[in-house]
Amino acid sequence: MSDPIVIVAFDFDGTLTYHDSVIPFIRRFTGTRQLVFGLVRRIHQVIPALLRRDRDSLRRVATQVAFTGRTLDQLGEHAAEFGDDVIATGLRADMAGRLRWHRDAGHTVLIVSASYEQYVRVVGRHLGAHDVLATRLESIDGTLTGRLDGANCRGPEKVRRLQQWCHDNEIMISEATVWAYGDSAGDRELLAIADHPIWVTEPLGSVAPSL
């Protein structure tokens, strides 16, 4: 009889890290002045999105401002540096320890995040995650288009991406035990499908979770 499959999905911002990473990364990549100028030029898009609290639309606008015309090499260089900074000063010790416990227990550990894939992968490799499912940036011939490649990986998209990953890896998610860790409204759908949903609202400590 084969061992039961355990899949563990961790959110990134506010769960594995102390703070949001998207805006700090955009500011580093494009510069605060250029970012502000670009958003002001698109104020007709920004204000309605703010009024609707439409995070997906705001992400699309910020992505267009920050990344249009830049190269994948530039993105990779900045992502490597930013990821190293997150590792050095931005990771929550309790949650990093929780992730490593799951990994060492033989569980399949994934980071499922609305943050940009390139720097989340840097952190994921450091923590020993098996894979990263995150928001992707579209590129053509090595140049960023300023558009997302697919949907922003939050809310229902987190569930869709997790299900697709399981399908691609020939895992029946209905037969697996699923743990999910999250801290915000964008994690609700992911936690809703988990057998063990963990809302990260305070330090969890370094002890192993109860199975």
Side-chain angles (χ1 to χ4, degrees):
M1 183 175 180
S2 59
D3 293 334
I5 297 172
V6 179
I7 297 172
V8 188
F10 282 86
D11 171 53
F12 190 70
D13 285 356
T15 299
L16 286 170
T17 71
Y18 287 110
H19 306 293
D20 170 74
S21 64
V22 172
I23 295 302
F25 180 70
I26 288 176
R27 288 175 61 186
R28 175 180 293 196
F29 188 80
T30 196
T32 300
R33 184 174 181 178
Q34 184 175 340
L35 174 62
V36 171
F37 181 70
L39 292 175
V40 168
R41 290 182 60 189
R42 293 165 177 81
I43 199 69
H44 60 288
Q45 296 173 282
V46 172
I47 288 180
L50 285 172
L51 291 174
R52 296 193 307 269
R53 297 184 179 181
D54 186 345
R55 295 171 65 97
D56 291 338
S57 293
L58 287 171
R59 172 65 66 86
R60 285 193 292 270
V61 175
T63 297
Q64 184 180 28
V65 170
F67 299 107
T68 301
R70 306 292 289 276
T71 68
L72 282 175
D73 287 343
Q74 290 172 317
L75 178 63
E77 180 181 348
H78 281 81
E81 294 175 355
F82 186 79
D84 286 344
D85 286 348
V86 173
I87 292 165
T89 62
L91 284 177
R92 291 181 49 158
D94 58 336
M95 292 306 299
R98 187 67 66 100
L99 185 152
R100 291 187 177 104
W101 182 89
H102 280 291
R103 181 199 63 197
D104 293 345
H107 302 163
T108 298
V109 177
L110 307 173
I111 299 176
V112 187
S113 173
S115 302
Y116 295 115
E117 180 181 64
Q118 278 78 2
Y119 64 80
V120 180
R121 284 200 178 278
V122 174
V123 180
R125 285 193 296 269
H126 170 78
L127 293 173
H130 292 87
D131 208 346
V132 164
L133 313 178
T135 298
R136 298 175 297 222
L137 294 167
E138 183 185 75
S139 65
I140 298 176
D141 297 331
T143 300
L144 299 170
T145 66
R147 296 187 294 269
L148 298 181
D149 180 4
N152 186 19
C153 189
R154 71 182 302 273
E157 181 65 11
K158 288 194 172 191
V159 176
R160 193 199 70 77
R161 292 282 299 274
L162 177 62
Q163 292 171 335
Q164 185 64 52
W165 187 92
C166 288
H167 178 269
D168 292 344
N169 287 274
E170 300 182 341
I171 296 173
M172 293 289 292
I173 193 170
S174 60
E175 297 178 2
T177 297
V178 178
W179 289 70
Y181 293 81
D183 76 304
S184 72
D187 302 314
R188 289 187 185 278
E189 289 85 354
L190 181 63
L191 271 70
I193 69 164
D195 301 288
H196 301 283
I198 309 296
W199 284 98
V200 182
T201 57
E202 59 185 24
L204 295 181
S206 59
V207 297
S210 172
L211 295 178

